[in-house]
Amino acid sequence: RLDVLTSRHAAYNKKTALTPRMVKQKGFRLQVIGTQDRGEAMTLKATLLSRFADEKAYLMYQAPHFRIRFGNFKTREEALGFRDTHLSDIQNIYVVADTIEFMWYPPKED
């Protein structure tokens, strides 16, 4: 029975290793606002999500400030490029180091 259990476990591991999944790593996000007004922060978050449906926005609270961080960028240059290209109408956007999320896809087998 142990060999059956071991083979099932190995098959499960092989299957999950080939499944796309969300992973976290060190990267960068754009901090677009830091305010004490929660309503202002939520309004800006909604605006960003309506403009960029493919990106994510994160509301953070660190008393007494609400902060909106936006995007998941692997490099500082990628974050700066997005800021300069797409968010030039918003003042005082900072690039901050953060733990980012992205979908990992296994390499294709030949």
CSV table of all heavy atoms in Angstrom, one decimal, residues 28-33 44-60 67-73 79 82-83 86-87 90 93-96 98 100:
chain,number,residue,atom,x,y,z
A,28,PHE,N,8.3,46.2,-7.3
A,28,PHE,CA,8.0,47.6,-7.1
A,28,PHE,C,6.6,47.9,-7.4
A,28,PHE,O,5.9,47.2,-8.2
A,28,PHE,CB,8.9,48.5,-8.0
A,28,PHE,CG,10.4,48.3,-7.7
A,28,PHE,CD1,11.1,47.4,-8.3
A,28,PHE,CD2,11.0,49.1,-6.7
A,28,PHE,CE1,12.5,47.2,-8.0
A,28,PHE,CE2,12.3,48.9,-6.4
A,28,PHE,CZ,13.0,48.0,-7.1
A,29,ARG,N,6.0,48.9,-6.7
A,29,ARG,CA,4.7,49.4,-7.0
A,29,ARG,C,4.8,50.9,-7.0
A,29,ARG,O,5.7,51.5,-6.5
A,29,ARG,CB,3.7,49.0,-5.9
A,29,ARG,CG,3.4,47.5,-5.9
A,29,ARG,CD,2.2,47.1,-5.1
A,29,ARG,NE,1.8,45.7,-5.3
A,29,ARG,CZ,1.6,44.9,-4.3
A,29,ARG,NH1,1.6,45.3,-3.1
A,29,ARG,NH2,1.3,43.6,-4.6
A,30,LEU,N,3.7,51.5,-7.5
A,30,LEU,CA,3.6,53.0,-7.5
A,30,LEU,C,2.7,53.4,-6.4
A,30,LEU,O,1.6,52.9,-6.3
A,30,LEU,CB,3.0,53.5,-8.9
A,30,LEU,CG,3.8,53.1,-10.1
A,30,LEU,CD1,3.0,53.5,-11.3
A,30,LEU,CD2,5.2,53.9,-10.1
A,31,GLN,N,3.2,54.3,-5.5
A,31,GLN,CA,2.4,54.8,-4.5
A,31,GLN,C,1.8,56.1,-5.0
A,31,GLN,O,2.5,57.1,-5.2
A,31,GLN,CB,3.2,55.1,-3.2
A,31,GLN,CG,2.3,55.5,-2.1
A,31,GLN,CD,3.0,55.5,-0.7
A,31,GLN,OE1,3.5,54.4,-0.4
A,31,GLN,NE2,3.0,56.6,0.0
A,32,VAL,N,0.5,56.1,-5.2
A,32,VAL,CA,-0.1,57.3,-5.9
A,32,VAL,C,-0.7,58.3,-5.0
A,32,VAL,O,-1.0,59.4,-5.4
A,32,VAL,CB,-1.2,56.8,-6.9
A,32,VAL,CG1,-0.5,56.0,-8.1
A,32,VAL,CG2,-2.2,55.9,-6.3
A,33,ILE,N,-1.0,57.9,-3.7
A,33,ILE,CA,-1.6,58.8,-2.8
A,33,ILE,C,-1.3,58.4,-1.4
A,33,ILE,O,-1.2,57.2,-1.1
A,33,ILE,CB,-3.1,59.0,-3.0
A,33,ILE,CG1,-3.6,60.2,-2.2
A,33,ILE,CG2,-3.8,57.7,-2.6
A,33,ILE,CD1,-5.0,60.6,-2.5
A,44,LEU,N,-9.7,57.6,-5.7
A,44,LEU,CA,-8.6,57.5,-6.6
A,44,LEU,C,-8.4,56.0,-7.0
A,44,LEU,O,-8.1,55.7,-8.1
A,44,LEU,CB,-7.3,58.0,-6.0
A,44,LEU,CG,-6.1,58.0,-6.9
A,44,LEU,CD1,-6.3,58.7,-8.2
A,44,LEU,CD2,-4.9,58.6,-6.1
A,45,LYS,N,-8.6,55.1,-6.0
A,45,LYS,CA,-8.4,53.7,-6.3
A,45,LYS,C,-9.4,53.2,-7.4
A,45,LYS,O,-9.1,52.5,-8.4
A,45,LYS,CB,-8.6,52.8,-5.1
A,45,LYS,CG,-8.5,51.3,-5.3
A,45,LYS,CD,-8.7,50.6,-4.0
A,45,LYS,CE,-8.6,49.1,-4.3
A,45,LYS,NZ,-8.9,48.3,-3.1
A,46,ALA,N,-10.7,53.7,-7.2
A,46,ALA,CA,-11.7,53.3,-8.2
A,46,ALA,C,-11.4,53.9,-9.6
A,46,ALA,O,-11.6,53.3,-10.6
A,46,ALA,CB,-13.1,53.8,-7.7
A,47,THR,N,-10.9,55.1,-9.6
A,47,THR,CA,-10.5,55.8,-10.9
A,47,THR,C,-9.4,55.0,-11.6
A,47,THR,O,-9.4,54.7,-12.8
A,47,THR,CB,-10.0,57.2,-10.6
A,47,THR,OG1,-11.1,57.9,-10.0
A,47,THR,CG2,-9.6,57.9,-11.9
A,48,LEU,N,-8.4,54.6,-10.8
A,48,LEU,CA,-7.3,53.8,-11.4
A,48,LEU,C,-7.8,52.5,-11.9
A,48,LEU,O,-7.3,52.1,-13.0
A,48,LEU,CB,-6.2,53.6,-10.3
A,48,LEU,CG,-5.4,54.8,-10.0
A,48,LEU,CD1,-4.5,54.5,-8.7
A,48,LEU,CD2,-4.5,55.3,-11.1
A,49,LEU,N,-8.6,51.8,-11.2
A,49,LEU,CA,-9.1,50.5,-11.6
A,49,LEU,C,-10.0,50.6,-12.9
A,49,LEU,O,-10.0,49.7,-13.7
A,49,LEU,CB,-9.8,49.8,-10.5
A,49,LEU,CG,-8.9,49.3,-9.4
A,49,LEU,CD1,-9.8,48.7,-8.2
A,49,LEU,CD2,-7.9,48.3,-9.8
A,50,SER,N,-10.7,51.7,-13.0
A,50,SER,CA,-11.5,51.9,-14.2
A,50,SER,C,-10.7,52.2,-15.4
A,50,SER,O,-11.0,51.8,-16.5
A,50,SER,CB,-12.6,52.9,-14.0
A,50,SER,OG,-12.0,54.2,-13.8
A,51,ARG,N,-9.6,52.9,-15.2
A,51,ARG,CA,-8.7,53.3,-16.3
A,51,ARG,C,-7.8,52.1,-16.7
A,51,ARG,O,-7.5,51.9,-17.9
A,51,ARG,CB,-7.7,54.4,-15.9
A,51,ARG,CG,-8.4,55.8,-16.0
A,51,ARG,CD,-7.5,56.9,-15.5
A,51,ARG,NE,-6.3,57.0,-16.3
A,51,ARG,CZ,-5.4,57.9,-16.0
A,51,ARG,NH1,-5.5,58.7,-15.0
A,51,ARG,NH2,-4.3,58.0,-16.8
A,52,PHE,N,-7.4,51.3,-15.8
A,52,PHE,CA,-6.5,50.2,-16.0
A,52,PHE,C,-7.0,48.9,-15.4
A,52,PHE,O,-6.6,48.5,-14.3
A,52,PHE,CB,-5.1,50.5,-15.4
A,52,PHE,CG,-4.5,51.8,-15.8
A,52,PHE,CD1,-4.6,52.9,-15.0
A,52,PHE,CD2,-4.0,51.9,-17.1
A,52,PHE,CE1,-4.0,54.1,-15.4
A,52,PHE,CE2,-3.5,53.2,-17.5
A,52,PHE,CZ,-3.5,54.2,-16.6
A,53,ALA,N,-7.9,48.3,-16.1
A,53,ALA,CA,-8.6,47.1,-15.6
A,53,ALA,C,-7.7,45.9,-15.4
A,53,ALA,O,-8.0,45.0,-14.6
A,53,ALA,CB,-9.8,46.7,-16.5
A,54,ASP,N,-6.6,45.8,-16.1
A,54,ASP,CA,-5.7,44.7,-16.0
A,54,ASP,C,-4.7,44.8,-14.8
A,54,ASP,O,-4.0,43.8,-14.5
A,54,ASP,CB,-4.8,44.5,-17.3
A,54,ASP,CG,-5.7,44.2,-18.5
A,54,ASP,OD1,-6.8,43.7,-18.3
A,54,ASP,OD2,-5.3,44.4,-19.6
A,55,GLU,N,-4.6,46.0,-14.2
A,55,GLU,CA,-3.7,46.2,-13.1
A,55,GLU,C,-4.4,46.0,-11.8
A,55,GLU,O,-5.7,46.0,-11.8
A,55,GLU,CB,-3.1,47.5,-13.2
A,55,GLU,CG,-2.1,47.7,-14.4
A,55,GLU,CD,-0.8,46.9,-14.3
A,55,GLU,OE1,-0.4,46.6,-13.1
A,55,GLU,OE2,-0.3,46.6,-15.3
A,56,LYS,N,-3.7,46.0,-10.7
A,56,LYS,CA,-4.3,45.9,-9.3
A,56,LYS,C,-3.9,47.1,-8.6
A,56,LYS,O,-2.8,47.7,-8.7
A,56,LYS,CB,-3.8,44.6,-8.6
A,56,LYS,CG,-4.4,43.4,-9.1
A,56,LYS,CD,-4.1,42.2,-8.2
A,56,LYS,CE,-4.7,41.0,-8.6
A,56,LYS,NZ,-4.5,39.9,-7.6
A,57,ALA,N,-4.8,47.5,-7.7
A,57,ALA,CA,-4.6,48.6,-6.8
A,57,ALA,C,-4.8,48.1,-5.3
A,57,ALA,O,-5.7,47.3,-5.1
A,57,ALA,CB,-5.5,49.8,-7.1
A,58,TYR,N,-3.9,48.6,-4.4
A,58,TYR,CA,-4.0,48.1,-3.1
A,58,TYR,C,-4.1,49.2,-2.1
A,58,TYR,O,-3.4,50.2,-2.2
A,58,TYR,CB,-2.6,47.4,-2.8
A,58,TYR,CG,-2.3,46.2,-3.7
A,58,TYR,CD1,-1.7,46.5,-4.9
A,58,TYR,CD2,-2.7,44.9,-3.5
A,58,TYR,CE1,-1.4,45.5,-5.8
A,58,TYR,CE2,-2.4,43.9,-4.3
A,58,TYR,CZ,-1.8,44.2,-5.5
A,58,TYR,OH,-1.5,43.2,-6.4
A,59,LEU,N,-5.1,49.1,-1.2
A,59,LEU,CA,-5.4,50.1,-0.2
A,59,LEU,C,-4.6,49.7,1.1
A,59,LEU,O,-4.8,48.5,1.5
A,59,LEU,CB,-6.9,50.3,0.1
A,59,LEU,CG,-7.2,51.2,1.3
A,59,LEU,CD1,-6.9,52.6,1.0
A,59,LEU,CD2,-8.7,51.1,1.6
A,60,MET,N,-3.8,50.5,1.6
A,60,MET,CA,-3.1,50.2,2.8
A,60,MET,C,-3.4,51.3,3.9
A,60,MET,O,-3.5,52.4,3.5
A,60,MET,CB,-1.5,50.2,2.6
A,60,MET,CG,-1.1,49.3,1.5
A,60,MET,SD,0.6,49.4,1.0
A,60,MET,CE,1.4,49.0,2.5
A,67,ARG,N,-3.0,54.7,2.1
A,67,ARG,CA,-2.1,54.8,0.9
A,67,ARG,C,-2.6,53.9,-0.1
A,67,ARG,O,-3.1,52.8,0.2
A,67,ARG,CB,-0.7,54.3,1.3
A,67,ARG,CG,0.0,55.3,2.3
A,67,ARG,CD,1.4,54.9,2.5
A,67,ARG,NE,2.1,55.9,3.3
A,67,ARG,CZ,2.3,55.9,4.6
A,67,ARG,NH1,1.8,54.9,5.3
A,67,ARG,NH2,2.9,56.9,5.2
A,68,ILE,N,-2.5,54.3,-1.4
A,68,ILE,CA,-2.9,53.5,-2.5
A,68,ILE,C,-1.6,53.2,-3.2
A,68,ILE,O,-0.9,54.1,-3.7
A,68,ILE,CB,-3.9,54.2,-3.5
A,68,ILE,CG1,-5.2,54.6,-2.7
A,68,ILE,CG2,-4.2,53.4,-4.7
A,68,ILE,CD1,-6.0,53.4,-2.3
A,69,ARG,N,-1.4,51.9,-3.4
A,69,ARG,CA,-0.2,51.4,-4.2
A,69,ARG,C,-0.8,50.7,-5.4
A,69,ARG,O,-1.8,50.0,-5.3
A,69,ARG,CB,0.7,50.5,-3.4
A,69,ARG,CG,1.4,51.3,-2.3
A,69,ARG,CD,2.5,50.6,-1.7
A,69,ARG,NE,3.2,51.4,-0.7
A,69,ARG,CZ,4.1,51.0,0.1
A,69,ARG,NH1,4.5,49.7,0.1
A,69,ARG,NH2,4.7,51.8,1.0
A,70,PHE,N,-0.2,50.9,-6.5
A,70,PHE,CA,-0.7,50.4,-7.8
A,70,PHE,C,0.3,49.6,-8.6
A,70,PHE,O,1.5,50.0,-8.7
A,70,PHE,CB,-1.1,51.7,-8.6
A,70,PHE,CG,-1.8,51.4,-9.9
A,70,PHE,CD1,-3.1,50.9,-9.9
A,70,PHE,CD2,-1.1,51.6,-11.0
A,70,PHE,CE1,-3.7,50.6,-11.1
A,70,PHE,CE2,-1.7,51.3,-12.3
A,70,PHE,CZ,-3.0,50.9,-12.3
A,71,GLY,N,-0.2,48.5,-9.2
A,71,GLY,CA,0.6,47.8,-10.1
A,71,GLY,C,1.5,46.7,-9.4
A,71,GLY,O,1.7,46.7,-8.2
A,72,ASN,N,2.1,45.9,-10.3
A,72,ASN,CA,3.1,44.9,-9.9
A,72,ASN,C,4.2,44.9,-10.9
A,72,ASN,O,4.0,44.3,-12.0
A,72,ASN,CB,2.4,43.5,-9.8
A,72,ASN,CG,1.4,43.3,-8.7
A,72,ASN,OD1,1.8,43.5,-7.5
A,72,ASN,ND2,0.2,43.1,-9.0
A,73,PHE,N,5.3,45.6,-10.6
A,73,PHE,CA,6.4,45.7,-11.5
A,73,PHE,C,7.6,45.0,-11.0
A,73,PHE,O,8.0,45.1,-9.8
A,73,PHE,CB,6.7,47.2,-11.7
A,73,PHE,CG,5.5,48.0,-12.1
A,73,PHE,CD1,4.8,48.8,-11.2
A,73,PHE,CD2,5.0,48.0,-13.4
A,73,PHE,CE1,3.7,49.5,-11.6
A,73,PHE,CE2,3.9,48.7,-13.9
A,73,PHE,CZ,3.2,49.5,-12.9
A,79,ALA,N,8.4,50.3,-13.5
A,79,ALA,CA,7.4,51.1,-12.8
A,79,ALA,C,7.5,52.6,-13.2
A,79,ALA,O,6.5,53.3,-13.4
A,79,ALA,CB,7.7,51.0,-11.3
A,82,PHE,N,5.9,53.1,-16.7
A,82,PHE,CA,4.4,53.1,-16.6
A,82,PHE,C,4.0,54.4,-16.0
A,82,PHE,O,3.0,55.0,-16.6
A,82,PHE,CB,3.9,51.9,-15.7
A,82,PHE,CG,2.4,51.8,-15.8
A,82,PHE,CD1,1.9,50.9,-16.7
A,82,PHE,CD2,1.6,52.4,-14.9
A,82,PHE,CE1,0.5,50.8,-16.7
A,82,PHE,CE2,0.3,52.3,-14.9
A,82,PHE,CZ,-0.3,51.5,-15.8
A,83,ARG,N,4.6,54.9,-15.0
A,83,ARG,CA,4.2,56.2,-14.4
A,83,ARG,C,4.3,57.3,-15.4
A,83,ARG,O,3.4,58.1,-15.6
A,83,ARG,CB,5.1,56.5,-13.2
A,83,ARG,CG,4.8,57.8,-12.5
A,83,ARG,CD,5.8,58.2,-11.5
A,83,ARG,NE,7.0,58.6,-12.3
A,83,ARG,CZ,8.1,59.1,-11.7
A,83,ARG,NH1,8.2,59.1,-10.3
A,83,ARG,NH2,9.2,59.4,-12.4
A,86,HIS,N,1.6,56.6,-18.5
A,86,HIS,CA,0.2,56.5,-18.3
A,86,HIS,C,-0.3,57.3,-17.1
A,86,HIS,O,-1.5,57.6,-17.1
A,86,HIS,CB,-0.2,55.0,-18.0
A,86,HIS,CG,0.2,54.1,-19.1
A,86,HIS,ND1,-0.5,54.1,-20.3
A,86,HIS,CD2,1.1,53.1,-19.1
A,86,HIS,CE1,0.0,53.1,-21.0
A,86,HIS,NE2,1.0,52.5,-20.4
A,87,LEU,N,0.5,57.8,-16.2
A,87,LEU,CA,0.0,58.5,-15.0
A,87,LEU,C,0.6,59.9,-14.9
A,87,LEU,O,0.8,60.4,-13.8
A,87,LEU,CB,0.3,57.7,-13.8
A,87,LEU,CG,-0.4,56.3,-13.7
A,87,LEU,CD1,0.1,55.5,-12.5
A,87,LEU,CD2,-1.9,56.5,-13.7
A,90,ILE,N,-1.2,62.6,-12.7
A,90,ILE,CA,-1.3,62.6,-11.3
A,90,ILE,C,0.0,63.0,-10.7
A,90,ILE,O,1.1,62.5,-11.1
A,90,ILE,CB,-1.6,61.1,-10.8
A,90,ILE,CG1,-3.0,60.7,-11.4
A,90,ILE,CG2,-1.7,61.1,-9.3
A,90,ILE,CD1,-3.3,59.3,-11.1
A,93,ILE,N,3.8,60.9,-7.5
A,93,ILE,CA,3.7,59.4,-7.5
A,93,ILE,C,5.1,58.9,-7.2
A,93,ILE,O,6.1,59.3,-7.9
A,93,ILE,CB,3.2,58.8,-8.9
A,93,ILE,CG1,1.8,59.3,-9.1
A,93,ILE,CG2,3.3,57.3,-8.9
A,93,ILE,CD1,1.3,58.8,-10.5
A,94,TYR,N,5.2,58.0,-6.3
A,94,TYR,CA,6.5,57.5,-5.9
A,94,TYR,C,6.6,56.0,-6.2
A,94,TYR,O,5.7,55.2,-6.1
A,94,TYR,CB,6.8,57.6,-4.4
A,94,TYR,CG,6.7,59.1,-3.9
A,94,TYR,CD1,5.5,59.6,-3.4
A,94,TYR,CD2,7.7,60.0,-4.1
A,94,TYR,CE1,5.4,60.9,-3.0
A,94,TYR,CE2,7.6,61.3,-3.8
A,94,TYR,CZ,6.5,61.7,-3.2
A,94,TYR,OH,6.4,63.1,-2.8
A,95,VAL,N,7.8,55.6,-6.6
A,95,VAL,CA,8.1,54.1,-6.8
A,95,VAL,C,8.6,53.6,-5.5
A,95,VAL,O,9.5,54.1,-4.9
A,95,VAL,CB,9.1,53.9,-7.9
A,95,VAL,CG1,9.5,52.4,-8.1
A,95,VAL,CG2,8.6,54.5,-9.3
A,96,VAL,N,7.9,52.5,-5.0
A,96,VAL,CA,8.3,52.0,-3.7
A,96,VAL,C,8.6,50.5,-3.9
A,96,VAL,O,7.9,49.8,-4.6
A,96,VAL,CB,7.2,52.2,-2.6
A,96,VAL,CG1,7.1,53.7,-2.3
A,96,VAL,CG2,5.9,51.7,-3.1
A,98,ASP,N,8.2,46.7,-2.8
A,98,ASP,CA,7.1,46.0,-2.2
A,98,ASP,C,7.2,44.5,-2.6
A,98,ASP,O,7.9,44.2,-3.5
A,98,ASP,CB,5.8,46.6,-2.6
A,98,ASP,CG,4.7,46.4,-1.5
A,98,ASP,OD1,4.9,45.5,-0.7
A,98,ASP,OD2,3.7,47.2,-1.6
A,100,ILE,N,5.4,41.9,-4.7
A,100,ILE,CA,4.5,41.9,-5.8
A,100,ILE,C,3.9,40.5,-6.1
A,100,ILE,O,4.5,39.5,-5.6
A,100,ILE,CB,5.1,42.5,-7.1
A,100,ILE,CG1,6.2,41.6,-7.6
A,100,ILE,CG2,5.5,43.9,-6.8
A,100,ILE,CD1,6.7,42.0,-9.0
